[in-house]
Amino acid sequence: MLDLTALSVPIVGAPMAGGPSTPALTAAVSAAGGFGILAGAYLSPDQLREQIAAVRDRTDAPFGVNLFVPEEIPFDAAAFDAYREALLSLAARYGAELPEHVDYSDDRFDAKVGVLLDEGVAAVSFTFGVPEPAVFATFTERAVATIATVTGPLEAEIAVAAGATALCAQGVEAGGHRGTFHISNDDREIGVLDLIGQVTGLDVPVIGAGGVGGRDDVAAMLDAGAIAAQAGTAFLRTPEAGTRQAHRDALTDPRFTETATTRAYSGRLARGLVNDFIRDFTEAAPPVYPQINTLTGPLRKAAAHDPQVINLWAGTGWRGARETGAADVVAALDPR
Ligand SMILES: Cc1cc2nc3c(=O)[nH]c(=O)nc-3n(C[C@H](O)[C@H](O)[C@H](O)COP(=O)(O)O)c2cc1C
């Protein structure tokens, strides 16, 4: 099984679903001595298989794949309808049609687990919860490392008891979605360094995540007991990433001065640069996932060039994100 404690550079390239994650980015991070993780969420099982092949076309280095673990909770139709109503005038301005009904989707989790078992990638990472112990056991039998994303100590205990062979301790500083197991949990907002300290006693290696803008942030995570740092935002401006132009530009635009967490885009908490959409809709957004994500999709598509509308996922270290190749970013973050 892959030994995550033996990476030549202690940098994990975060999975970044929804565009930024590409086979080129994953391959570049792994080839540079870090460990790239491809985002498997929102892809069909066939697309996932193609992307895995595309990473392998570029490098022989080991890499991982990340999946969103589904959690079906009772659908709050009234909250969904009220939020849809709140978004209608903005959607009309961009000519976007918002769906009236959205069916629950599990993002084809079981089929994608099947693809990963077939393909035998080096590691599988999970966020938004953990799968059944039998899923961990099957990967472990096949010598596939399993990394569970956790945002608190109780989640870490649950993940290790279920069979995870490593943890990704995701602090509140992290860009993109928080990996909190339950959609509507109140956010305890634990910072990454505290969280690493709280979960290192469980006998599995811990990767820290959240807020990496430079090598000092990585060094602090290693000092706190992590074996590597998982960085996402730091790679958003690399040519290998699939980040949309408006998102790239916003990362250096002085109009954006802070990040915040919001449910406004997807119904789940996620951190991004504060724009008009976050300011206007955070209060109204209900914890209804993935239906709110699907609801806002047509608006985000129609307004793809407008940074005041689209999700500008970014962690608190966003000012450190540089426009340079992914291998350069890996080298620049290496504190050793
Ligand atoms: C654009 C973006 C998309 C993300 N998508 C995913 C994802 O698909 N799966 C996942 O486990 N984490 C995802 N994350 C969170 C990262 O795994 C990681 O926790 C985070 O990037 C670390 O914080 P940083 O961005 O400050 O480095 C995403 C982060 C960003 C910035």
Side-chain angles (χ1 to χ4, degrees), residues 14-18 20 39-42 66-68 125-127 149 168 170 173-177 209-212 230-234 236 247 271 313-318:
M16 296 192 280
Y42 310 144
N66 171 261
L67 297 179
F68 288 179
S125 99
F126 298 102
T127 191
T149 308
C168 173
Q170 189 195 42
E173 302 89 343
H177 279 103
V212 168
Q230 178 162 315
T233 303
L236 283 173
H247 190 178
R271 181 176 296 279
W313 295 154
T316 55
W318 92 95

Side-chain angles (χ1 to χ4, degrees), residues 4 136 145-150 159-160 163-168 204-207 227:
L4 284 163
F136 282 112
T146 48
I147 306 167
T149 308
V150 300
V160 173
T165 61
L167 295 174
C168 173
V204 296
V206 174
I207 300 161
I227 53 100

Side-chain angles (χ1 to χ4, degrees), residues 25-291:
L25 178 59
T26 302
V29 172
S30 286
F35 187 72
I37 302 185
L38 188 65
Y42 310 144
L43 302 180
S44 70
D46 284 344
Q47 288 170 323
L48 178 57
R49 215 183 270 280
E50 286 162 19
Q51 293 210 1
I52 290 169
V55 179
R56 289 186 168 144
D57 283 345
R58 290 174 165 84
T59 183
D60 293 331
F63 65 95
V65 175
N66 171 261
L67 297 179
F68 288 179
V69 179
E71 181 192 26
E72 186 168 12
I73 58 167
F75 176 61
D76 186 342
F80 176 91
D81 291 346
Y83 193 53
R84 181 176 182 277
E85 197 63 35
L87 292 173
L88 281 178
S89 69
L90 180 66
R93 227 185 295 154
Y94 288 88
E97 288 238 6
L98 302 184
E100 278 179 45
H101 302 284
V102 176
D103 288 332
Y104 170 76
S105 156
D106 70 359
D107 198 33
R108 308 204 47 199
F109 181 79
D110 291 342
K112 288 194 254 189
V113 165
V115 169
L116 299 182
L117 288 170
D118 273 2
E119 294 288 338
V121 292
V124 179
S125 99
F126 298 102
T127 191
F128 299 167
V130 283
E132 296 295 311
V135 173
F136 282 112
T138 310
F139 281 116
T140 304
E141 274 160 28
R142 298 184 192 205
V144 176
T146 48
I147 306 167
T149 308
V150 300
T151 60
L154 184 60
E155 291 179 349
E157 279 175 34
I158 292 168
V160 173
T165 61
L167 295 174
C168 173
Q170 189 195 42
V172 71
E173 302 89 343
H177 279 103
R178 297 211 8 96
T180 320
F181 284 14
H182 300 299
I183 293 162
S184 52
N185 265 11
D186 282 344
D187 196 344
R188 293 188 48 218
E189 304 209 335
I190 305 175
V192 65
L193 298 179
D194 285 343
L195 183 59
I196 291 168
Q198 290 172 27
V199 304
T200 40
L202 296 171
D203 273 352
V204 296
V206 174
I207 300 161
V212 168
R215 60 159 61 94
D216 291 352
D217 301 312
V218 178
M221 288 190 201
L222 301 184
D223 285 348
I227 53 100
Q230 178 162 315
T233 303
F235 291 99
L236 283 173
R237 299 181 64 214
T238 65
E240 290 92 340
T243 315
R244 286 188 284 202
Q245 193 59 46
H247 190 178
R248 283 177 196 271
D249 294 345
L251 289 163
T252 54
D253 183 335
R255 284 181 300 168
F256 299 101
T257 57
E258 58 178 341
T259 65
T261 58
T262 182
R263 296 184 190 273
Y265 290 103
S266 74
R268 264 189 170 274
L269 282 172
R271 181 176 296 279
L273 294 172
V274 175
N275 59 4
D276 288 345
F277 191 85
I278 289 187
R279 273 186 287 269
D280 293 346
F281 295 106
T282 292
E283 238 178 77
V288 176
Y289 180 91
Q291 291 90 348

